[in-house]
Amino acid sequence: MDKLEEIIYKNTREGMSMFLIGQTNSGKTWFIEHILIPYLDKMGVSVQYFKNAEEIAGVKSKTDLIIIDELETFQDARHLEQNHPNEKSYYQTSYIKRVENWFSVLKNIKNICLYVISRNNKEDINFLANSCQFADWDNRKIVTLVFSKDRCF
């Protein structure tokens, strides 16, 4: 089985943007900072990393891969609301507006991107990974990857 960083490298070289979906506090950011970015650098891939969508500024058009951590998608909103009826706080009007502002910035980024998304349990992760094919903001085709510690540590 290929390592996750090798899969991301391959998709980047093939011009495919990706969602990296994993559990909250599972080590996704650590993997990006300590494994993925050094590996991509070694492979000659230029990277810009943003810790969240609100930090996006100064995207360089010649960057091979833009990594945006702590992003959100609404493609699984109905699933989340049906399966977690007591946790609708994510979808309050103020949060929706905030995410829509991120989307307006994201639609202007034409680079290949790795978007990092958290979900709280494996069922929600698998639902999103199996149902998502396009980004919310610009309809670019997306490859979905599921993060788990045993695939990269």
Side-chain angles (χ1 to χ4, degrees):
M1 176 190 276
D2 290 337
K3 291 182 177 179
L4 184 56
E5 61 270 23
E6 293 169 350
I7 294 168
I8 293 169
Y9 172 74
K10 179 179 175 252
N11 280 303
T12 300
R13 285 293 174 220
E14 292 175 358
M16 296 300 301
S17 287
M18 298 152 275
F19 278 177
L20 179 61
I21 309 162
Q23 285 188 283
T24 304
N25 298 319
S26 62
K28 296 179 302 296
T29 299
W30 189 93
F31 165 76
I32 288 166
E33 293 176 343
H34 295 91
I35 304 289
L36 182 61
I37 292 174
Y39 174 80
L40 293 174
D41 185 53
K42 184 176 86 174
M43 300 303 287
V45 176
S46 59
V47 174
Q48 272 188 282
Y49 173 60
F50 298 99
K51 288 192 180 277
N52 60 59
E54 291 171 345
E55 288 188 3
I56 297 172
V59 172
K60 299 173 184 143
S61 63
K62 294 188 188 275
T63 301
D64 296 320
L65 181 66
I66 306 294
I67 301 173
I68 304 165
D69 209 343
E70 301 297 331
L71 198 61
E72 183 62 88
T73 179
F74 291 137
Q75 294 186 44
D76 59 345
R78 177 175 281 145
H79 166 82
L80 293 173
E81 289 172 348
Q82 288 174 346
N83 290 310
H84 307 282
N86 298 326
E87 300 176 28
K88 289 189 179 183
S89 62
Y90 261 89
Y91 300 105
Q92 291 179 351
T93 305
S94 60
Y95 185 73
I96 292 170
K97 237 179 170 25
R98 184 172 159 203
V99 172
E100 287 173 345
N101 286 337
W102 299 347
F103 290 177
S104 67
V105 172
L106 293 170
K107 72 180 179 184
N108 294 314
I109 299 174
K110 304 305 177 199
N111 308 61
I112 299 160
C113 293
L114 176 67
Y115 308 105
V116 184
I117 299 173
S118 294
R119 290 294 180 259
N120 290 327
N121 64 55
K122 290 181 182 182
E123 179 188 344
D124 295 340
I125 291 165
N126 290 333
F127 180 87
L128 182 57
N130 292 323
S131 62
C132 185
Q133 296 180 1
F134 299 93
D136 300 57
W137 42 90
D138 64 3
N139 292 319
R140 73 175 67 195
K141 186 155 178 51
I142 294 290
V143 172
T144 57
L145 305 170
V146 174
F147 178 87
S148 64
K149 290 181 183 182
D150 59 322
R151 286 186 66 190
C152 62
F153 295 99

